[in-house]
């Protein structure tokens, strides 16, 4: 179709990665075509390479000390702020979900609502999870004994392939609200909500490097992350239904005994309230003993 | 070069941020309404200036407020999913933070507390408290205390931390799905009424929070109302006992935060400079109008002289005066009645043979003031070692062994809080386990956090506020 | 420094604990501990003091008069030092009421140049010596370094302690080195740099402060400026507590010099508040409190101009040295 010479041409966004608080293109120079649910071209998304994944792990590791050292109260406020900013960009996300997932406006709207509410739910957990899963232990001796959860470190997340926003939020929030930092591979075919979510994170007081978002193929990036010796845990949600590949990731993860959240047989219903294990999967329990005596 | 004196020039916080109306009504069903009773004046204790006329709720007003709360409970609040209740509480937390300076200035004017404390302690804790309990509203099934609300809560709070006590009462009640009728203290109603405006800004459903102002009679009408399911009171042990009697034989649930006579125990291996800071903070924070104040200093005899020397030197640097001056450490006594009580007990201390020492400071001519004071040669038998003074008066006693320290610390009908100062961890934990007090601070004092339960043993009250434990009082 | 409380080479007699590592250890580890959280909270609370109008004017002039205007670069030249000297004597050439700074602080080879630059203005010349900043040299080299600087006319010597010896518990060695440097100083006053950023704990800062005071230093100084963190407010507060307690124990008053990291007038005023409320007004004097700084002076001058003229000024209106 020939455009009208007097019509305004829109200015289109470049879809980039989100690493260490910045928005680089892939170091490989590769992109891939992100299509909408009807197969029409929407954008050229950055195709993250294994070196982008490596850089993202470095960024996540360097952010870990500061983020895990913040008070739980502060982390809760930051995650709540993410919810505020996401809600503020509601219309944009409704459109992105509609195009990516092929749902109608009402369904997309409900998905965005659920995503905001999921963030609010997790924000509240920041300073409560320790009160629910930690506590003092009545050891039989003159000792004070206290168990408390601590974040495990850098968590690789292969985000769900179908649920491009609610699924993404549901796997990222539990990782960061507990003080871990994340390297996330978005849905391969539906990367656009993830890219925009990166922009939300960048404007929500989340320090650079706490969440790093890579658009690309989980099955090609996943093995590198699963084998990476400076990654402490991996969530294989994005490999749902692919038991063979998921098992290979688990084998690679065993090299440094990563904590693994296994791939489900099929992508779950993300609208259900998550169990506490969504957070405890990425928590260590530290128990401190101290004698009592004058 | 001649010695330079660095005299701090006045640094007053601007009052222009607050707009105090000439008169205030009651907040019932989401609206400000006229009361049916008379009115009373609230006064700035630093200047004796009348700030506003405030309606005094009578029994009829209280009944209307309880009815509004019941209606909101039945029709809206108890039926709303926790995740939606949470959002209103988060809104309130955010608006409190947005209007924090306004709240801090108003609190300082109405209460007499230093702006530094209202600004840096009270109001941030208030916002944090709402934020914390907002997060519980949709997680009650993980609380361990059930997830069913009680109904309408009658809440009566004191004048020492007007807004903070409001937060401690209202936030957990609402998070659990209860609605409330709150009575602020008659000398400090203004920040509660500003909080009512905040509820309006947050579009909290009408009737979820109702505020009835007044004195003791209003409080009695509220806690005695047959349609309240829960009574929560913070104040004196005497009134707490009366309330316990008045709810006897009913199904009303009860929590009480009452008086204290906390021991602050300094061992000879304490980090002395920090211990002195902690003792000063323990008793002179908020003019000593603190139920958990460290009003008894128990100091090991081997370091008593050195600690007292350092303590007096530190007390001499306390800046007493205009609460709105950003450099003021100790503000005004909240009311002439309270000032009279502090004077009466201090005179008793002298009459009973204790040695009185007062920090050298200039007190303003108008308003109600009491200079930071300590008594030495105090024994367990003295009234100033047994009765809650609720003012900037510290009683110093000594001990020789940890067992003696524990025995003296526990030798009181109260049991709210205690402090321990030592560099030896095992001693701290052992002494802490032997103290009959609901909160024990080690190498710190007067710390408050929304995640941390607070409340007393014995006659200091029953139930806990704050933290996961604070949910118990509002769930079944 | 005019107050000569104790003669060079002598130590405070009532505290004769420097017989061995063990006796020093017993003494230093017997000092009351420092609770980190409480100390930092106290410093932060003092940092909220609001110093306005007349108090601010007093504080700014006092702070200017306490500056040890410092250049300690490998690239230092005589020209740079002469410029520094001129700035020290007339920090604000457009305002005769602006006080001069306390001293210029240079490497030993620049002492003669600095001395000529400040002339008879009353501005002192301080030299860093003893293999500054690491202190990693043999004792005779450190002493020669000190004597050279004094012979070149240095009024004050800023020495570094051997942090390695201190951290490994060789307290007597640290003590004796300070005593030896003090002796080599002759008439010059000795500032003892603890390099608190390498001592890691406030307990160590307190112990090193006492060690330096026992050994006869006239001043205790936080840092070289080459290690981070340098002069934080809690560290300065701990050292002010030490000099306060030392005077009570011995009658001898010792000065304190935070150095490194104090870049704004606001930070300088926070320090003066801590001096005022922790050590007391006796220390509010360039003889007893100094700021080791370079960029701080211009911010003090800009704040001073703001108070005088009522409008904010910019870096183009103060001199670059």
């Amino acid at each position: 179709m020939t455009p009208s010479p007097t019509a305004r041409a829109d200015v289109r966004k470049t879809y980039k990665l989100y690493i260490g608080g910045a928005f680089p293109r892939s170091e490989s120079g590769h992109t891939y075509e992100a299509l909408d649910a009807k197969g029409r071209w929407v954008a050229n998304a950055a195709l993250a390479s294994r070196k982008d994944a490596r850089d993202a792990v470095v960024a996540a590791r360097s952010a870990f000390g500061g983020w895990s050292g913040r008070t739980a109260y502060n982390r809760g406020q930051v995650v709540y702020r993410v919810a505020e900013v996401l809600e503020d960009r509601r219309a944009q996300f409704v459109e992105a979900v509609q195009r990516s997932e092929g749902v109608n406006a009402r369904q997309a709207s409900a998905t965005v609502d659920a995503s905001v509410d999921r963030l609010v739910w997790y924000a509240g957990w920041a300073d409560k999870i320790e009160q629910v899963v930690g506590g003092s232990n009545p050891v039989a001796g003159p000792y004070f004994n206290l168990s408390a959860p601590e974040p495990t470190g850098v968590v690789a997340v292969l985000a769900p392939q179908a649920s491009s926003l609610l699924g993404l939020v549901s796997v990222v929030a539990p990782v960061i609200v507990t003080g871990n930092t994340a390297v996330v591979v978005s849905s391969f075919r539906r990367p656009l909500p993830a890219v925009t979510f990166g922009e939300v994170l960048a404007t929500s007081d989340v320090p650079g490097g706490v969440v790093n978002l890579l658009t690309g193929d989980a099955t090609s990036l996943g093995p590198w992350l699963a084998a990476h010796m400076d990654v402490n845990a991996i969530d294989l949600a994005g490999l749902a239904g692919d038991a063979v590949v998921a098992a290979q990731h688990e084998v690679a993860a065993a090299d440094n005994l990563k904590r693994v959240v296994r791939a489900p047989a099929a992508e779950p219903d993300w609208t259900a309230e998550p169990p506490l294990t969504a957070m405890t999967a990425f928590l260590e329990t530290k128990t401190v003993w101290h004698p009592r005596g004058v | 070069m001649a010695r330079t004196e660095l005299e701090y020039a006045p640094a007053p916080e601007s009052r222009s941020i607050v707009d105090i109306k000439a008169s205030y009504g009651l907040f019932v069903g989401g609206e400000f309404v006229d009361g049916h009773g008379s009115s009373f004046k609230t006064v700035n204790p630093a200047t004796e200036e009348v700030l506003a006329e405030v309606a005094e709720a009578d029994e009829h007003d209280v009944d209307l407020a309880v009815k509004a709360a019941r209606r909101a409970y039945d029709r809206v609040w108890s039926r709303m999913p926790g995740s939606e209740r949470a959002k209103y509480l988060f809104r309130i937390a955010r608006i409190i933070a947005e209007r924090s300076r306004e709240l801090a200035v108003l609190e300082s004017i109405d209460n007499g507390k230093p702006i530094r404390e209202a600004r840096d302690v009270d109001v941030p804790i208030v916002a944090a408290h709402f934020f914390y309990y907002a997060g519980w509203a949709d997680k009650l099934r993980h609380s361990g205390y059930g997830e069913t609300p009680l109904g309408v809560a009658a809440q009566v709070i004191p004048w020492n931390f007007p807004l903070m006590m409001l937060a401690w009462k209202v936030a957990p009640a609402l998070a659990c799905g209860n609605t409330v009728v709150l009575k602020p203290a008659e000398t400090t109603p203004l920040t509660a009424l500003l909080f009512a405006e905040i509820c309006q800004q947050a579009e909290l459903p009408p009737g979820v929070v109702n505020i009835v102002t007044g004195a003791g009679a209003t409080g009695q009408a509220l806690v005695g109302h047959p349609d309240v399911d829960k009574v929560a009171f913070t104040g004196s042990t005497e009134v707490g006992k009366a309330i316990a009697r008045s709810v006897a034989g009913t199904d009303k649930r009860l929590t009480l935060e009452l008086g204290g006579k906390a021991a602050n125990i300094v061992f000879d291996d304490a980090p002395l400079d920090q211990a002195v800071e902690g003792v000063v903070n323990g008793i002179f924070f908020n003019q000593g109008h603190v139920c958990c104040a460290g009003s008894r200093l128990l100091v090991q005899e081997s370091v008593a002289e050195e600690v007292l020397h350092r303590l007096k030197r530190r007390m001499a640097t306390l800046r007493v005066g205009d609460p709105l001056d950003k450099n003021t450490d100790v503000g005004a006594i909240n009311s002439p009645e309270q000032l009279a009580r502090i004077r009466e007990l201090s005179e008793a201390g002298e009459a009973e043979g204790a040695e009185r020492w007062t920090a050298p400071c200039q007190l303003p001519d108008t308003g109600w003031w009491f200079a930071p004071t300590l008594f030495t040669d105090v024994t367990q038998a003295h009234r100033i070692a047994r009765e809650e003074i609720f003012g900037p008066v510290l009683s110093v006693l000594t001990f020789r062994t940890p067992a003696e320290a524990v025995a003296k610390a526990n030798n009181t009908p109260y049991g709210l809080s205690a402090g321990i100062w030592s560099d030896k961890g095992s001693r701290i934990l052992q002494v802490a386990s032997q103290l009959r007090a609901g909160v024990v601070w080690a190498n710190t004092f007067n710390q408050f956090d929304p995640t941390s339960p607070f409340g007393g043993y014995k006659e200091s009250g029953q139930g806990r506020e704050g933290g996961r434990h604070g949910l118990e009082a509002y769930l079944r | 420094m005019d107050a000569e409380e104790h003669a060079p080479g002598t130590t405070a007699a009532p505290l004769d604990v420097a017989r061995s590592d063990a006796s020093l250890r017993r003494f230093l580890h017997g000092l009351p501990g420092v609770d980190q959280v409480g100390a930092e909270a106290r410093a932060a609370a003092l940092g909220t003091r609001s110093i306005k109008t007349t108090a601010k004017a007093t504080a700014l002039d006092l702070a200017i008069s306490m500056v040890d205007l410092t250049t300690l670069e490998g690239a230092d030249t005589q020209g740079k030092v002469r410029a520094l000297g001129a700035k020290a004597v007339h920090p604000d050439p457009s305002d005769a009421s602006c006080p001069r700074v306390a001293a210029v602080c240079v490497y030993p080879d620049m002492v003669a140049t600095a001395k000529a630059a400040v002339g008879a203005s009353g501005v002192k010349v301080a030299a860093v010596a003893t293999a500054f900043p690491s202190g990693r040299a043999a004792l005779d080299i450190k002493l020669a370094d000190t004597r050279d600087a004094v012979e070149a006319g240095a009024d004050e010597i800023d020495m570094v302690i051997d942090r390695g010896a201190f951290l490994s518990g060789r307290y007597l060695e640290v003590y004796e080195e300070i005593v030896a440097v003090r002796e080599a100083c002759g008439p010059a006053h000795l500032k003892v740099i603890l390099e608190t950023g390498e001592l890691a704990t406030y307990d160590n800062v307190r112990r090193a402060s006492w060690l330096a005071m026992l050994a006869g230093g006239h001043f205790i100084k936080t840092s070289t400026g080459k290690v981070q963190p340098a002069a934080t407010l809690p560290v300065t507060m701990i050292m002010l507590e030490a000099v306060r307690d030392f005077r009570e124990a011995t009658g001898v008053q010792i000065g304190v010099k935070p150095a490194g990291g104090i870049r704004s007038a606001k930070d300088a005023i926070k320090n003066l508040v801590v001096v005022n409320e922790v050590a007391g007004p006796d220390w509010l004097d360039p003889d007893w409190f100094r700021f080791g700084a370079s960029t701080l002076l211009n911010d003090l001058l800009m704040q001073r101009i703001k108070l005088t003229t009522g409008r904010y000024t910019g870096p183009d209106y103060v001199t670059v040295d």
Side-chain angles (χ1 to χ4, degrees), chain B residues 11 53 280 429:
Chain B
E53 290 266 345
V280 166
L429 294 170

Side-chain angles (χ1 to χ4, degrees), chain C residues 218-264:
Chain C
H218 296 94
F219 255 73
I220 50 176
K221 174 176 169 184
T222 60
S223 327
T224 61
K226 307 292 185 191
V227 169
Q228 290 301 321
T232 66
L233 201 57
V235 157
T236 305
M237 184 186 79
I238 299 299
M239 290 168 64
L240 285 162
E241 289 169 355
V243 298
R244 174 198 68 194
D245 293 348
F246 188 79
R247 188 175 74 171
E248 291 210 333
T250 67
V252 177
Q253 187 165 344
I254 305 289
V256 175
K257 177 178 171 184
I262 301 169
R263 293 188 186 85
S264 69

Side-chain angles (χ1 to χ4, degrees), chain A residues 73 76-77 80-81 84 117 120-125 127-128 131-132 144 273-276 290-294, chain B residues 84 87 90-91 94 127-128 131-132 135-136 138-139 141-142 402 424-427 429-431 433 451 467-468:
Chain A
Y73 173 49
Q77 286 184 303
Y80 183 78
R81 177 76 178 153
E84 285 182 347
D117 291 358
V120 172
W121 188 77
Y122 273 117
W125 274 116
D127 52 11
K128 295 174 190 70
Q131 302 190 297
V132 172
F144 170 89
E273 181 176 304
L276 295 189
H290 196 299
R292 286 189 282 120
V294 295
Chain B
E84 296 303 305
K87 290 180 196 169
F90 278 123
R91 278 188 199 168
R94 292 301 222 203
F131 197 91
Y132 174 78
W136 268 119
D138 54 7
K139 301 176 181 65
R141 69 188 180 90
H142 299 286
K424 188 171 178 181
S426 58
R427 175 181 299 148
L429 294 170
Q430 178 68 353
V431 170
S433 72
T451 67
R468 183 178 63 83

Side-chain angles (χ1 to χ4, degrees), chain B residues 67-142:
Chain B
K67 284 197 167 79
R70 175 62 61 191
R71 208 160 38 239
Y73 177 79
D74 288 340
R75 294 184 186 173
V76 185
W77 200 245
S78 68
R79 300 182 182 188
M80 189 183 278
S83 57
E84 296 303 305
R85 288 201 307 270
K87 290 180 196 169
Y88 289 99
L89 291 172
F90 278 123
R91 278 188 199 168
I92 289 172
R94 292 301 222 203
I95 297 172
I96 288 167
E98 285 159 12
R99 301 180 69 174
S100 60
R101 192 57 57 91
E102 182 185 357
L103 288 162
V105 170
L106 186 59
E107 194 80 311
S108 176
I109 292 172
D110 203 18
N111 169 278
K113 66 175 62 202
I115 183 68
R116 182 172 62 82
E117 291 177 4
R119 179 195 67 198
D120 296 346
V121 182
D122 295 53
V123 177
I125 286 177
V126 170
H129 214 81
F130 275 98
F131 197 91
Y132 174 78
Y133 277 107
W136 268 119
D138 54 7
K139 301 176 181 65
L140 296 174
R141 69 188 180 90
H142 299 286

Side-chain angles (χ1 to χ4, degrees), chain B residues 3 8 273 309 327 329, chain C residues 49-50 206 244 277 282:
Chain B
R3 182 173 121 163
Y8 304 162
D273 288 307
H309 168 69
N327 292 325
D329 299 317
Chain C
R49 289 285 193 226
S50 180
R206 172 167 289 175
R244 174 198 68 194
E277 299 199 34
D282 286 355

